[in-house]
Amino acid sequence: MHFQKSLPRLPIPELSKTGDRYLKALRPLLSNDQYTEAVRRTQDFISKDGKELQEKLILKDKVNKHTSYISEYWFDLYLRDRVPLPINYNPLIVFQNDSKPGYNDQLIRATNLLTSAVRFMNSLKDNILEPEVFHLQPKKSNTPLFRKVTGFLPEALSWYGAYLFKAFPLDMSQFDGLFGATRIPLLGKDRIYRDPKSKHILVQRNGNFYVFDVLDADGNLLLPSELLANLSKILNDNTEKSQHPLGVLTCQNRDTWAKQRKHLEETGNGEMLQKIDSAIFNLILDDVSISDDKHMLLKHFLHADGTNRWFDKSFSLIVTKDGCSGVNFEHSWGDGVAVLRFFQELYMETTTKPFVHPDSKPVNTNITVSKLDFKLDDKSIHFIENAKKEYKEWCDSLSIDYILYEGLNKEACKKFKVSPDCIMQLGFQAAYHLLHGKYVGTYESCSTSAFKHGRTETMRPCTDQTKLFCDSLHLNKCSKNELRSMMQECSSYHTQLVKEAAMGHGFDRHLFALMKLAEENNISRPQIYDSYEYKYLNKSILSTSTLSAPSVMAGGFGPVAKEGFGIGYSAFPDKLGAAVTSYKAHNDSSQFIEALHKSFMDITNILSS
């Protein structure tokens, strides 16, 4: 937390610039008449309602210097939404397998992941975890000198020292949300529960729940061989698969689940639920093997059948029978920056300095495993059976596919002086246009964690430039040189938009905050928010997000609109990859993947000629 005190605050953009950026994002999506009307409405908002709300937002921000103007509203947005967490909100990230086969044994990998996860937590609690820093020029700043100089500086000045090295410390406030935390369902709005003193973890296997202490009375981590023994006991437990797996209740509408949870508490299960809520995290041991089946992998880590899950926990570490491992995390408490750092640290330590080995023997001291036994009456059993049926129907309605395209990679894009992120986004625009002949609201998540309590900003990848490129590509009337020139223009503007978003100069969060402020102050809802153009832009038909790291095999999430696609993508050193989800009633992910493959081939052809 060394840089936390001196982190800059998230800026409130100028209202006129927000209006300009908003209109630029609308232009490729609207007809001339629609755009003219949008301009009139936007200018009217900026000169009247928006002006008043902007003044109120600035005043509110001045008296809340401990946080950012978006933080409270963003937490509220998540916690008030009543839709189920899996598919709608909880993303998946899957680790690369360990290159040493013996270490992919379920018990060995689970023990190593558990050991490293608790070590990470203890480092965080003891305030010795190295701060998260974005290095603009890593060779100059990711050095012992940087650490020495910035470490020597007082906390109130440390950020400025880092800035002189062209390094940007990132907000670490979300990291506390990783451990001992659960989202509790309540009617109308959920709450996040945290227990910083928790000593036990939750383990799920075959729909059954187990807990055991991973810290001793003094807060010290048990020996890896003792953790191995506790997990071994669970894996060797011959208790049958749960007939009434309680975890499936976390797959439902939040109000429905809130009522059911209240009933469970009233029928004598409060203590058991408290054990789940307060656990450091959830470790899931699944009795399935993934092998090389990527479709199965994505489905399994995104949603599974819900019977061996508890989607409300801040995160769940999932390990299959053949050692395929990953994370499914609840999204309200934080974003990808905190999760990815944790994820990378786990992968690095478990694959280079594992604590248990294929020949390690369990030490049968400090075994505190206990199985949680719930009292389920007929009403509770009915809840579970109904939830299983509804969840299966919902999961069966989902279409999931993926692409691994080896014709282009990160370095090749840079060689041709085009942004790899832009190339992937161009591919998505071209693929959608190929299938549907139009352009739609597109969301690319961009972190604003360079600021105190920053969350995310939306970057809008569908631009006039990408529209011109896709139209020209599909009309087949331009030369390769002309298309390459258009592509480079797309890349330049895309890079500009990403920088603006990362520096807090997007428009989406600003407009959202102004809307929430109107509600807060009982001001009539400005017309702009009910307009056709605002709704069209914010219906994210293409919802996209990237988590690129050597530790990541795959990442993904569900579509956010019934007619849309959820696209988790990565530009790897040797290929481009994307996991695509959609609802079968509206779209087929495999058709999108085919169109995307063609788009990537077209782009490769243009770049390489």
Side-chain angles (χ1 to χ4, degrees), residues 194 355 371 379 416 517:
R194 289 178 182 166
F355 287 88
K371 184 172 171 289
K379 195 173 181 180
F416 293 113
L517 205 63

Side-chain angles (χ1 to χ4, degrees), residues 348-384:
M348 185 61 66
E349 186 164 80
T350 57
T351 55
T352 60
K353 296 176 183 175
F355 287 88
V356 298
H357 312 278
D359 57 355
S360 294
K361 299 288 186 283
V363 172
N364 295 320
T365 54
N366 283 324
I367 294 183
T368 59
V369 172
S370 62
K371 184 172 171 289
L372 302 185
D373 290 314
F374 292 87
K375 298 169 186 172
L376 301 179
D377 60 7
D378 288 345
K379 195 173 181 180
S380 298
I381 290 168
H382 173 72
F383 292 155
I384 292 166

